[in-house]
Amino acid sequence: MHVVIVGAGISGLSAAWALIKRGAKVTLIEQGVIPNPLSASGDQHRIIRRAYGGQGGYQRRIGAAYAAWDALWADLGDKHLVETGFLLLSQVPGDDGEEYRDGLRTGGYPVEEMSPAETATRYPFIDAATIRFGAFSPEGGVLLCQKIAAGLRAWLLKIGAEVRENARVKSVDAARGSVVLDSGEAVGGHHVLVTAGAWAPGLVPALSADLTTYRTAVAYLSPPEDLLKAWENGPAILDVGGTVDGYVLPPVAGTGLKVGAGVHKRKSGPDQDRTPEPGEGITLRNCFSPPFARIDEYDVEGVVTCAYTFTRDEHFFMRTEDRLSVVSACSGHGYKFGAVVGQTLAEGLLSGDLDAARIWLEARD
């Protein structure tokens, strides 16, 4: 079977890896370089964590995600995961920090709750007066995106896959299982798999009824010198509580201290407004006070813009028509499942049971 994959973010790279390991032929097409700094998975690092609040299907699938990453590390010969564990904070009753904690408890997963004073003692960058509790789980960490993409690219090239960078797809033909590049060249196979993230609705306009594209950004901060070691040895923070939908990734393995807030997004095309705006980093930084103390002492080192697709209910999306399948790991929470998404798609394509793949990805069970 020959599969043409459009988009070399983590889903496309992992699908190529999994398909080739099962004996399929792959042509992987990427509009930029790999890793592409404009893609949703082109940033320095992403979180992997067990907690999912009310989305229990994804919470239960984290075990499969870890197993798939282990298989990938074995092939790459390197483990691009730093197991920091993750922290939850709650500022007000019923916020996301509390919901995530309750989801872990309901599922029977390990979580250690701490008082505000205990939390701030262990993590001195937190202002104890602004939180209700902290909760730590060891089942989480930091995935090093750029190293993963570079490693997969090298593995695919070494094994003889056809990897085409700086090749932009202009159109997709579902009936023929082919694509046409901007150059006019047609590339065909038995099936086309579109894993182009925020660019997918531009290739398949009908998807716009189900997928909405947002532009967001993350900021990299330099903490006060006396707090640097605490951050370097700290956990990923899944949610800071309150209303900003904020998360933090610690500076590990050569990465920076990254902050992002779910409230900091707006509808936009994937190629629009990709240059950070003046003062955008300060705006993002200030979303984190509370719960962080001394926020004015954090310098903004840089801002990276991102483009994501969102579904209404924030579940993954998959649609198949004729010889075309489109997959989108929606709403910014897909990276942690990258390797197992690739395995699931490969199994669905080679077995012919793409509906089973869709059901697994949607995780409604």
Side-chain angles (χ1 to χ4, degrees), residues 30-32 36-40 168-169 182 196-203 213-216 266-276 305-308:
E30 167 56 42
Q31 64 179 331
N36 186 339
L38 292 179
S39 74
R168 194 177 185 99
V169 172
D182 273 352
W199 286 267
L203 293 171
T213 302
Y214 286 86
R215 182 263 197 207
T216 184
R266 62 175 182 266
K267 292 181 181 180
S268 177
D271 296 311
Q272 297 175 330
D273 302 325
R274 295 307 300 267
T275 300
T305 62
C306 312
Y308 292 115

Side-chain angles (χ1 to χ4, degrees), residues 303-323:
V303 176
V304 177
T305 62
C306 312
Y308 292 115
T309 54
F310 282 70
T311 55
R312 293 181 184 89
D313 60 4
E314 297 193 4
H315 282 256
F316 292 4
F317 175 87
M318 180 173 181
R319 177 176 295 172
T320 296
E321 178 187 351
D322 295 334
R323 294 160 64 184

Side-chain angles (χ1 to χ4, degrees), residues 229-241:
K229 284 297 182 184
W231 277 114
E232 290 176 340
N233 296 313
I237 303 179
L238 172 56
D239 199 282
V240 297

